[in-house]
Each structure stands twice: as C-alpha cells, then as structure tokens.
Amino acid sequence: MGLRRFIQASYFQCARTSGILKHVRYKPPSLVQWRYSGSSLYKAVIFDMGGVLLPSPYRVAVEWEVRNCIPPGTIKQALISGGENRPWMRYMRGELTSAEFLQEFGHQCSEIANLSVPVDSFLSDLTSSQMSKQLPIMTEALECIRAEGLKTAVLSNNFYLHSGVSFLPLDRSQFDVVIESCREGICKPDPRIYTLCLERLGVQPKESIFLDDIGQNLKAAAQLGIKTVKVDDPEAALKELESCLGFPLQGFVPHTRLVRPTMEIPKDPLQKYLEEVLGGWTTGPLILRQFSHGQSNPTYYIKFGDRHLVLRKKPPGNLLPTAHAVEREYRVLKALAEAGVPVPKVLALCEDSSIIGTPFYLMEYCSGHIYKDVSLPGLDPGQRRAIYMAMNKVLCKIHRVDLKAAGLEDYGKHGNYVQRQVQTWTKQYRATETHTIPTMERLIEWLPLHLPGNQKTTVVHGDFRLDNLIFHPEGPEVLAVLDWELSTLGDPISDVAYNCMAHYMPSDLDILKGLKDCDVTELGIPTAEEYFQMYCEHMGIPPIENWNFYMAFSFFRVAAILQGVYKRSLTAGQASSAAAESSGKQVELMANLAWDFATKEGFRVFKECSAAKPLARPYSTWTRNGAFSRRNYVTMAPSSPAHISKAHLILSPDGLPGRAQDLYHKLRRFMEIHIYPAEQVLRVHQVSQSRWTPHPLIEELKDKAKSEGLWNLFLPVESDPEVKYGAGLTNQEFSHLCELMGTSLFAPEIFNCSPPDTGNMEVLVRYGTEEQKERWLQPLLDGKIRSCFAMTEPQVASSDATNIESSVVEEKGFYILNGHKWWISGALDPRCQLCVFMGKTDPEAQRHKQQSMLLVPMDTPGITVTRPLSVFGEEDPPAGHGEIFFENVRVPKENILLGPGRGFEIAQGRLGPGRIHHCMRLVGYSERALALMKERVTSRVAFGKPLAEQGTILEDIAKSRAEIEQARLLVLKAALLMDTAGNKVCVWGPPRANSTSLSSCSRDRHDQNGGSIDGSAGY
C-alpha cells in the first residue's frame, strides 16, 4: 500500500490505519471457527475458466441445441471426438483462425447431426456477455485466497475471436499467472501446459491445487502431483477447496485476512467490553479479522451483531514510552471530527491492558472507496480531476483547523518543523546505514543549508496520500482521512510536497505507484505544479518559491525510512513485510530523486542571483559560417530568440527541453530499477559456456524499454525530420541520454541504441531505398535482428576509407565480394543477419569515388567468420569482434547503397553522430568509474587512515573530476556544432576530433581498461 506499511521499529510511531476500505456487502462466514496458521502446504490455486470461473460451455451447448432444434449432444460429441487433431483442439491451440474453425467445426457437427448446423451462432452464444460473467462466488473465493498470501492462476483452453483477440473475459489482475492455450500452442490435458503454469507461478506440483470440470484434465494434473478438485457444483467444489486450504472462501472483507497466530486477541473479554460500550442490545457472534497491511499498530475488523467496527491496538512487548501511541491517534481523530475534518468516528479508548493485553481504541468501519492506483483507471478525465480536487480541498481543511479551538495547541512543537525533521531522519538514517550512498551524503550536507525561513504551524498529517482517503462510492466526496500516526504540528507545505511525490515516481514502483510515465494531462489529472497552485488558491496564499526544497526533503525522508526497513530485513526474523527485502534497491532511487530536486533548487537560487546582478553582456556559443581549417568558433551575442534556442549549449540534463528531460529521467529510473540490478547476472553469463547465446533477460528488458517509449532514441532529428523512426532528439539532446546509457555496458542494446546497429540504421534511413528499408531497417528498428559494419582490414589503416582494399566486382546482375575484414563488432551474434560491407568497385576512379557500400545478408555463401578477437583477454560475447573472410560472395545489384562510388560519402555521413555517441558513453563510463573510485577510497584503510585522507588520492580524484568535465563539455560542444553547422563541418573541425581523443584518454586514466583509439591493430 505505501511507505508507512514497511515500518515496524519502535522508534517510528508507525502503524497503519488499515481498513476502513472498499464498500462491500458483508456476508458472515459459516459458524466454523477457522484457525489458519499461515503455513499451509499450498502456495497456489489454479483455476480453469469455462465450467469453473465461468458457466460451463456444455451447458451453453445444451440450451443452444434446444433453441435451434439440433439433436441433443451434437456439440458435445464434436467437442470431444476426433482425437488431438479435431477442429476444437486445433482451434484452442491457435492453429485455426475463427473462420477456419467455424468451417471445419460446422462440417463436423453437420455430419454428426445429419443436417446443417449453424455453429457460428453457437460460438456467439459461447462468447456472449451473459456467458462471460464470472461467477460471484468464485470472485469472492479468489479475493479470499489472495488475501491469505497465496498465488492464483487461470489455466484455460481458450481461442482467438474474429478480432484476433483471445477470449478471456476475466479481470487479469485477479491472477498472478494467466496461461492461454491459444497463445502457448498447447492445451490441457497435455502435461506441458501444467508444467508451464507451475514454472511461472514458481511453485512445486505438491504446493498447488487445480480446479477443473473435466475429468481427463484433472487426471493429467494429478499425475504430475497436483492436488485436484472436480467442479460439478461450484459451491460444493469451494467447500472442498476450503477444507484443503484451511480458511474460509466467503465473507470477504477487502484487505483483511484471518488473524495471524502471533496477533490473536482474546475474544471473550473483548466481547464483554463491546457489550458495555455498545449497549446490551448488540448481540450475535463476534467475527474478528486482521487487516493485512497493519504492521506497527495491529488493526482489526470486527463484526458484532449488526455493527461493523475497527479496533486499533498497541503491539505486545516492551515499548518506548512515546512509541505506538494509540492514545494520541484517538485524541487527534476526536478533535478533528469536532473541527469538521472528515475522519473515522472514534467510539472509545480503552487504556486497560487487562482486556486484550494492550491499550486500544475503537472506531466505526467506514464504507466507501479507496483508490489504490493514483492514475485512477476506469474513470474518465473529468472524474479524475474531481477526485484530485476533492483531495486537495480536504488537505486545505486539515491545515485550516484552529489549533486553540480544537484543543491541539500542545499536539506538537511550534516552529522549526523542517529542521527537526531533517535532523530526525538524518539520525535514523545513520542508525540504520549499511553502506555509503553518495547521494544521501550530499543531501545530508545540503538540506540543513537550505532550510525554509518562515514556516507556518498547522496540523500536518505526515502521510497524506490518495490511498489514505475514503471516497463516497458515487462521487468525489472524501468521507474519511486515514492513517494519522505520523500527525503532529508542523509546516503544511511538507504535506503538500509529500502528496505530490507520486507525480515523480514510475508506475511500476513497488512501494508507491507513480505517475511519471503517464500523460497526466490526457488522464485529466492535475500536474504537480497545477496541484500545488490549486492548493495555494484554496488556502489564499502566494506560491511557495522553494517548492523544490520541500520535494527534495520528502524524497530524502522516504529514502531514510526505506534504509531502516532494509537494515531490519537483513536481521533474521526482523523483516517488517515481504516487500521489505526489496526496499534496499529503492533507497538509492529515492535519494537520486531527492537530489534532482536539490539540483533544481540550486539552479533556481542561482538564477535569482543572476537576475539580481546580471552579467555585463549576454553571450552564447555560436559558429561562424563556412568550413573549418582551424579553431574557428567564437562567443558572440545572440541576434534573436530563435538564434538562442538553436545555439544554446546545454550543460546539464535539467537544461534539456521538456520532452527530452522527461526521457532522461525516465531512462535513469529504468536503469536504476531494471538494468543495474541485472548487471551481475549478465556478467556471469558473459563468462559461461553459453556466452555466445544472448541471455533471455536482454530480450525481456528490451521489451520493457520499448513499452515505456525508451526505444530508438539515437536517430537525430536532422536525419528523421518527420520523427518517423526515432525520438526526434537533436545530437546534443541525445548526448545527455547517451552518457547515462554509458554507465552500463549492457544499456545501449536494451534501448536499441547500440553500435554498430545505430550507425547502420541511420545509413538506411538516410540512403536506403524503400525496399532496403522494408527488408532491413524495420527489423533493426524493431530490435528483431542485429547487424555489423565491415570496413576495418588487417593490412591497411582502415580509419581512412580510401585505403580499403576489399574488391567489389560487377557480374551479370550481381556484385562479387572478396576481402579480409577484422574487428567487425557484432559479427558473432546469432541475431546478426546483416553486414554493411565496404569495398572498392572502381580502383581507377577519383580517390573518394572508388568505394561502395553494400547490404550483405550474413547467411550468404562465401562468408566465413573465423574467430572472435579479444581485447585484453575479453571476447565481448555474444556480439564479439569477428575476423571475417569474404570469398566470392554474390549479392544482387539492388543491395548497393546509393550507387557505385558513393561509399566514402556514406561513411562520412555515418561517422559524425556515432563518434558523439561513443564519446558520451565513455564519459558516462568514466563517471561510474570515478564513483567506484570514491567509494573504494572511503572504505579502504592504509597506513592507519582511509585512502580518502591521503593527499595524493584526493589530488587524483580532483584531476579525474576536472578531466571528465572537460571531456563532457568538449563533446557537447561538438554535438552542438553538428546541430547548428552540420556534420561535415564538425567532422573535419577540431571540436569533434579533440572530443574523441579527450574522451578516450580521460576514460583510460580513470578505469585502466585499456585504450580505445589504438585498440585495433592497423586501425
């Protein structure tokens, strides 16, 4: 649910006001008193679809036959007869289209019935909306199973409809795994489909239960060791399933479960207490369930007679005096209710520990709707905006509470709230620190130096989020605000900033689902800036200038909390929740987000200082017209606004235009969440016996990157002005993204931005025919194939394309290629299907008109990849750097690019952007190497003190920092010149040449991985 649900340590006043959740019609379970230990033998329940979750197709067939005067049993006989190759089985395996199935199935049914059978209407009935409604008792059973922590799956023999969409009219969010026969190409009772389901669930056969209505399907599952339940009558089948699982499958209350054995409370004294508090007329069985996400202060749902209540108590054991203060929660809820703030109605506070073992309080269970997903799926834009406006208004209502009138003047300290919070969370972070996180160190130093001056004091919630609000089920009205254990007196802007954190988090984040990768404008959700402006207008206050500070503080606070969770998860038996294990990975993500806002605040302050004391004259870097024979650029005053935007040197990602900046932050989050954690797996694979086969994780990450729009970012807008193939970025804009990709050797391929594919794709975009683009460019853009670029030869200095000696001879509609190439990157990759070959077509022509480029399929006879070449012992699998012989390789004449004698021209067009990409990746690589160096010198002790305190070490680090900055500036300068003066000018000018050599030398000095300029003999 959220960050606070991870926290359990006693020094946090942390508990989760669970409950009070979605509106449901509660049905009490049977009188059987269930006791579920949470250690069931079973970990997953697998459901068939038709006949289990949905009405049986055989029942549909019987009713349809009666209505259409078809002999009884015709459809069933056709469904089950004919062996594995009968139309029905082939249709479910996805081997027949809907039209093909209806033709064959109709013929089969007509033969059985001896009359024409309109099977198309049967298929319509089978897939009708009436037959597509999930049985309510099954829906409730699924909710109960998932509430107890078991996994669920649907394993269905289904088919594709006329539209090409598979028939699965279920809410997929109910299941951890969905297996569809038509997608997998196998169907029940084939044992392989059960095995596939178990593998995706991550369970053993004996740990799972399978429900189906067909005997042969159950028999196949049982032979694998799966526990089976036959579904003839759904209610009877669920009774049998209940007996297997050991907990009820009805009477579901959202987000509750059976009380954990360690959290049980005595029912008899509690019932006597309730009778006294509620009055003697309230009678009936006491039903007690535990909210699954309460961790610090255990929280329970109670049904007693016709009353629905929530009980919240202190945990057992020795506690600090101010920890887990349910008395404090009761006080603020009571006071705020009297002040008109929508909160749950509290009924009684019991400080007598003899009743259930600890103090507790009671409040009414509030029916309504809680939105777990901040993107509000299922609502229209107008409804979403109304929800966010209602949330904003209720926050303002909290902050307007008159402290004196509400009796809350002593609810917390007045003044310096943010300062105290920074000190508190810094202290907590230090107490749970497991390793040095450089970004946290910077924040700990930065935050106290930028504290806000004038801070208003109001009631602050401390954890104000959308999923802490209960809304009216029929409109955007907040019925209750939950989760008050972090409330105190403090700066109200901290609440607003915390409330806006979701805008900057990705939607797939475990701890808090975000909106960063959503188009909030299209969704109708206010942007963070609009939401904050809305708050200021409702409160009647001017906009807060140092808004970025409050955002930085909010993310810092969350990072400190997660560090505590992570530390406790490392201690056996002390983990707060299952999600705590992954919290360590999130600490640095939160810290980096905090530092982003700290950087923005720094720029804001800098701009204010610049505005107060403007420079003597504005200037920007610009180029003179004409070719460059020497350093020929100057600084000059801009002549127009258009001139400024065109010639602006962007020094930081924060200076990027909006869309490019969004891509940068999206890219960084993707790398932090997906790529950096996967690096060790991929490194291990590179030295394994299967290293020449691409690791499947790469393809998985490529699919994720493509789905998030982080794909083909490299194509410059000058080559793709219509943004038909790429992202429409300039060379300079992509340079910043390229630096980020360079921090991981695996990243460029994952975003389809890796050489030599990038250069080859740009060549095809700029010079390829439509036929060449269709055959080669599109598969490369889709990431389905890879390619190589064959220019370098062992006998000549191949960096000058005019030296190439490989021959290309025309013969009867073909070109015959002969040559010896080496250091051909990517040639050993099994996905490499295209080679862009450079050779001489006319040795007698002018020097720059002798060469041509051709597109050569890698499976063409005569191509021999003899071996991978190593760089300092590294072979760089699976792509490798191959030595290739071309012996009488025949390719059609239409495979030539642009025409004979145009190879040198193409090579120069290909050269510019690729060199910028290489250089910025090296800058990124150097940044990461420097970070590792800094981490090492702070942890390594020599001669009695850390290396970081040695003077020469500090000097080396300072030099490295200066050299990296120097290299970055020169490369960005070259990228800018390419955008403004063109590739040809920049390629032959000093900025590009210097940036290439400087980046390489800088990288060499930092990570000692060898040179790149002289890495190829003869290059």
Side-chain angles (χ1 to χ4, degrees):
M1 279 271 290
L3 302 172
R4 294 297 304 127
R5 299 183 186 119
F6 288 107
I7 304 169
Q8 187 177 19
S10 60
Y11 54 74
F12 292 135
Q13 296 179 16
C14 312
R16 176 65 183 173
T17 306
S18 29
I20 323 176
L21 298 163
K22 290 186 180 178
H23 178 69
V24 294
R25 181 180 178 185
Y26 179 78
K27 297 184 295 182
S30 64
L31 296 179
V32 176
Q33 294 300 305
W34 296 92
R35 287 177 58 88
Y36 175 50
S37 68
S39 57
S40 169
L41 292 174
Y42 300 107
K43 296 180 179 179
V45 182
I46 306 168
F47 294 83
D48 178 34
M49 184 169 69
V52 178
L53 298 172
L54 303 181
S56 170
Y58 293 126
R59 196 191 80 190
V60 178
V62 169
E63 295 173 355
W64 178 84
E65 287 168 344
V66 171
R67 288 198 310 273
N68 291 273
C69 300
I70 302 299
T74 297
I75 295 295
K76 184 174 183 179
Q77 184 177 348
L79 292 177
I80 64 176
S81 63
E84 287 297 309
N85 289 321
R86 63 186 184 271
W88 180 243
M89 291 296 283
R90 292 167 61 204
Y91 188 33
M92 290 189 296
R93 290 196 297 264
E95 297 170 5
L96 297 178
T97 65
S98 181
E100 291 169 340
F101 164 72
L102 290 174
Q103 182 178 356
E104 293 191 23
F105 191 63
H107 180 71
Q108 183 186 17
C109 290
S110 298
E111 285 187 345
I112 294 171
N114 289 319
L115 54 85
S116 178
V117 179
V119 293
D120 54 340
S121 71
F122 166 68
L123 188 62
S124 296
D125 279 12
L126 186 63
T127 57
S128 66
S129 58
Q130 181 179 359
M131 297 305 299
S132 300
K133 293 179 180 178
Q134 185 168 304
L135 300 177
I137 59 171
M138 288 295 176
T139 302
E140 188 173 25
L142 279 163
E143 290 171 330
C144 292
I145 291 167
R146 293 177 67 83
E148 298 299 334
L150 276 71
K151 293 181 179 180
T152 56
V154 59
L155 175 55
S156 174
N157 280 358
N158 67 341
F159 44 82
Y160 288 111
L161 301 171
H162 287 289
S163 63
V165 177
S166 62
F167 178 63
L168 193 87
L170 304 172
D171 179 1
R172 291 174 181 260
S173 66
Q174 302 173 106
F175 307 99
D176 297 283
V177 170
V178 175
I179 303 291
E180 302 177 76
S181 64
C182 62
R183 294 184 183 275
E184 306 300 340
I186 48 176
C187 50
K188 296 173 293 185
D190 190 323
R192 292 177 296 169
I193 199 166
Y194 302 96
T195 302
L196 179 65
C197 185
L198 294 172
E199 287 175 351
R200 293 184 183 174
L201 282 168
V203 299
Q204 298 298 316
K206 64 181 180 181
E207 297 172 329
S208 59
I209 303 176
F210 175 54
L211 287 79
D212 202 306
D213 61 329
I214 298 177
Q216 62 177 350
N217 293 344
L218 293 165
K219 181 179 179 181
Q223 289 174 343
L224 293 173
I226 301 172
K227 171 68 178 176
T228 60
V229 174
K230 179 76 182 301
V231 182
D232 292 319
D233 172 61
E235 290 189 8
L238 290 182
K239 290 293 183 185
E240 182 180 349
L241 182 60
E242 281 182 341
S243 66
C244 296
L245 296 175
F247 55 82
L249 299 177
Q250 57 179 340
F252 177 70
V253 179
H255 303 282
T256 68
R257 52 165 295 161
L258 294 178
V259 178
R260 296 180 180 89
T262 57
M263 293 293 182
E264 289 182 343
I265 56 179
K267 285 189 174 181
D268 290 341
L270 176 60
Q271 182 165 339
K272 291 179 182 178
Y273 176 82
L274 293 175
E275 289 172 351
E276 293 177 3
V277 171
L278 302 176
W281 59 85
T282 302
T283 58
L286 174 67
I287 297 173
L288 189 68
R289 293 181 64 83
Q290 185 175 359
F291 284 103
S292 56
H293 46 256
Q295 292 194 29
S296 182
N297 290 346
T299 309
Y300 303 82
Y301 168 85
I302 297 174
K303 186 175 186 298
F304 185 45
D306 59 354
R307 299 295 295 271
H308 301 267
L309 309 171
V310 173
L311 181 151
R312 192 158 164 83
K313 66 185 285 289
K314 286 189 177 185
N318 297 323
L319 307 174
L320 295 175
T322 59
H324 305 276
V326 294
E327 302 88 348
R328 179 180 169 85
E329 291 180 32
Y330 176 84
R331 176 193 174 189
V332 72
L333 286 170
K334 192 171 186 300
L336 291 174
E338 294 171 356
V341 176
V343 292
K345 181 180 178 180
V346 291
L347 301 176
L349 171 67
C350 178
E351 299 180 272
D352 183 357
S353 297
S354 67
I355 305 296
I356 62 171
T358 65
F360 66 92
Y361 68 93
L362 292 172
M363 51 187 164
E364 288 188 348
Y365 179 91
C366 183
S367 296
H369 192 90
I370 287 183
Y371 296 101
K372 307 290 182 182
D373 190 332
V374 290
S375 66
L376 300 175
L379 301 185
D380 62 44
Q383 291 172 319
R384 294 189 184 103
R385 187 166 188 85
I387 291 291
Y388 273 80
M389 288 184 67
M391 176 168 64
N392 194 291
K393 288 179 179 179
V394 82
L395 181 59
C396 294
K397 185 174 287 189
I398 294 168
H399 293 165
R400 287 198 196 100
V401 168
D402 186 320
L403 299 179
K404 185 175 181 181
L408 294 173
E409 281 186 298
D410 62 344
Y411 191 62
K413 294 180 180 179
H414 289 245
N416 297 322
Y417 168 77
V418 177
Q419 180 180 356
R420 294 195 308 274
Q421 285 284 298
V422 170
Q423 293 171 348
T424 297
W425 293 109
T426 298
K427 181 180 178 182
Q428 302 294 6
Y429 173 75
R430 290 299 188 206
T432 57
E433 189 175 10
T434 54
H435 62 287
T436 300
I437 301 176
T439 314
M440 287 296 283
E441 299 301 319
R442 292 198 296 269
L443 288 165
I444 289 170
E445 181 180 354
W446 183 87
L447 287 167
L449 299 176
H450 297 81
L451 295 168
N454 300 321
Q455 299 179 41
K456 186 179 177 182
T457 299
T458 70
V459 172
V460 292
H461 182 276
D463 192 17
F464 192 83
R465 294 194 316 274
L466 182 65
D467 65 347
N468 274 333
L469 308 181
I470 301 178
F471 284 85
H472 193 284
E474 297 180 1
E477 176 191 353
V478 178
L479 300 179
V481 182
L482 312 178
D483 210 354
W484 288 90
E485 66 265 28
L486 288 181
S487 62
T488 185
L489 300 185
D491 186 341
I493 306 303
S494 63
D495 261 355
V496 190
Y498 185 84
N499 193 197
C500 289
M501 286 174 59
H503 280 77
Y504 304 98
M505 293 184 175
S507 59
D508 59 352
L509 200 62
D510 292 336
I511 57 171
L512 181 64
K513 308 302 181 187
L515 292 166
K516 179 58 181 176
D517 46 0
C518 300
D519 186 340
V520 292
T521 302
E522 183 178 338
L523 291 174
I525 296 172
T527 65
E529 293 76 12
E530 291 170 340
Y531 188 83
F532 179 57
Q533 183 179 356
M534 190 187 303
Y535 172 86
C536 293
E537 290 172 355
H538 289 156
M539 292 294 290
I541 60 174
I544 306 299
E545 292 183 347
N546 57 344
W547 168 249
N548 288 318
F549 170 86
Y550 286 95
M551 292 304 306
F553 164 67
S554 295
F555 281 107
F556 169 75
R557 173 177 174 242
V558 171
I561 291 171
L562 290 174
Q563 181 61 34
V565 178
Y566 176 61
K567 175 66 178 290
R568 290 189 296 280
S569 73
L570 298 178
T571 306
Q574 295 296 312
S576 301
S577 67
E581 297 287 349
S582 64
S583 60
K585 300 177 182 178
Q586 310 294 345
V587 177
E588 292 192 31
L589 173 61
M590 296 298 109
N592 288 335
L593 287 170
W595 188 248
D596 282 348
F597 282 102
T599 304
K600 291 178 182 178
E601 178 65 8
F603 274 110
R604 183 191 68 80
V605 173
F606 175 77
K607 289 176 182 178
E608 285 186 354
C609 294
S610 300
K613 295 182 179 181
L615 297 171
R617 71 179 182 93
Y619 67 90
S620 65
T621 305
W622 186 236
T623 62
R624 296 186 186 274
N625 293 327
F628 288 77
S629 58
R630 54 197 175 117
R631 293 181 70 88
N632 197 16
Y633 58 91
V634 297
T635 57
M636 57 186 295
S639 58
S640 68
H643 192 108
I644 293 173
S645 62
K646 187 177 180 183
H648 180 57
L649 184 61
I650 302 170
L651 303 179
S652 162
D654 288 311
L656 290 169
R659 182 170 172 276
Q661 189 173 147
D662 289 343
L663 282 172
Y664 179 90
H665 293 301
K666 208 170 171 184
L667 181 71
R668 187 170 71 181
R669 280 194 301 277
F670 189 99
M671 294 189 66
E672 290 168 340
I673 295 172
H674 299 296
I675 295 182
Y676 297 141
E679 284 182 319
Q680 186 57 36
V681 173
L682 298 175
R683 281 194 291 265
V684 170
H685 179 70
Q686 281 194 319
V687 296
S688 68
Q689 290 185 348
S690 59
R691 62 188 181 278
W692 295 107
T693 300
H695 196 288
L697 181 56
I698 290 288
E699 296 301 320
E700 291 177 21
L701 292 177
K702 285 168 67 174
D703 289 339
K704 284 181 181 289
K706 188 184 296 185
S707 68
E708 294 190 22
L710 298 172
W711 193 253
N712 294 334
L713 304 173
F714 65 93
L715 272 171
V717 68
E718 63 176 336
S719 299
D720 183 24
E722 297 178 3
V723 195
K724 183 178 179 181
Y725 304 108
L729 302 176
T730 65
N731 285 297
Q732 187 181 197
E733 289 167 354
F734 179 65
S735 293
H736 288 280
L737 277 65
C738 206
E739 178 184 349
L740 192 55
M741 292 184 203
T743 60
S744 174
L745 295 176
F746 306 101
E749 181 187 352
I750 288 167
F751 303 110
N752 214 35
C753 293
S754 61
D757 293 334
T758 49
N760 292 341
M761 283 187 270
E762 188 171 356
V763 163
L764 286 164
V765 168
R766 299 177 73 172
Y767 309 114
T769 65
E770 290 305 315
E771 292 75 18
Q772 291 168 349
K773 290 178 182 178
E774 181 178 355
R775 180 175 180 187
W776 299 114
L777 176 60
Q778 198 55 54
L780 283 168
L781 288 168
D782 293 340
K784 293 180 179 178
I785 67 171
R786 298 213 64 188
S787 62
C788 63
F789 183 71
M791 186 169 82
T792 305
E793 299 177 0
Q795 301 302 323
V796 297
S798 309
S799 58
D800 185 346
T802 62
N803 291 332
I804 297 301
E805 293 182 343
S806 294
S807 68
V808 180
V809 178
E810 183 179 352
E811 181 181 295
K812 297 180 181 179
F814 288 83
Y815 283 109
I816 311 301
L817 282 53
N818 283 278
H820 179 193
K821 304 283 187 177
W822 72 346
W823 295 106
I824 308 306
S825 299
L828 290 102
D829 195 314
R831 299 163 296 179
C832 181
Q833 296 185 24
L834 171 66
C835 173
V836 179
F837 180 92
M838 182 81 158
K840 282 190 177 181
T841 45
D842 186 358
E844 304 302 323
Q846 296 180 14
R847 187 182 180 198
H848 298 100
K849 299 288 186 181
Q850 298 176 1
Q851 304 78 20
S852 298
M853 276 193 193
L854 297 98
L855 303 174
V856 184
M858 285 295 287
D859 58 357
T860 306
I863 298 178
T864 305
V865 181
T866 60
R867 59 169 175 148
L869 302 171
S870 63
V871 182
F872 296 116
E874 297 291 335
E875 294 177 326
D876 197 19
H881 310 281
E883 182 175 12
I884 309 180
F885 285 88
F886 294 80
E887 298 174 290
N888 297 320
V889 177
R890 296 170 62 88
V891 295
K893 288 184 66 175
E894 56 264 30
N895 284 26
I896 197 167
L897 281 165
L898 209 57
R902 307 290 294 273
F904 185 89
E905 174 186 346
I906 297 171
Q908 295 310 302
R910 185 186 188 275
L911 184 64
R915 286 295 177 262
I916 296 296
H917 303 173
H918 281 308
C919 293
M920 287 308 287
R921 279 193 293 266
L922 290 176
V923 170
Y925 196 87
S926 299
E927 282 284 6
R928 191 164 185 195
L930 181 59
L932 292 171
M933 184 197 305
K934 290 160 64 178
E935 182 179 338
R936 172 67 172 168
V937 300
T938 57
S939 62
R940 171 68 172 167
V941 176
F943 304 104
K945 60 181 179 180
L947 289 179
E949 296 180 16
Q950 306 286 349
T952 57
I953 296 293
L954 294 175
E955 181 182 357
D956 289 342
I957 291 175
K959 285 181 179 178
S960 294
R961 166 53 47 209
E963 288 166 354
I964 292 173
E965 295 295 337
Q966 180 186 17
R968 179 187 291 109
L969 287 171
L970 194 54
V971 178
L972 290 174
K973 173 72 176 183
L976 173 65
L977 294 178
M978 289 172 62
D979 290 333
T980 55
N983 290 9
K984 185 174 180 181
V985 170
C986 187
V987 164
W988 291 107
R992 202 281 303 171
N994 289 348
S995 64
T996 303
S997 61
L998 182 60
S999 297
S1000 299
C1001 294
S1002 177
R1003 195 281 306 263
D1004 294 344
R1005 281 191 290 270
H1006 306 316
D1007 54 320
Q1008 291 84 43
N1009 283 337
S1012 63
I1013 272 189
D1014 300 316
S1016 307
Y1019 182 73

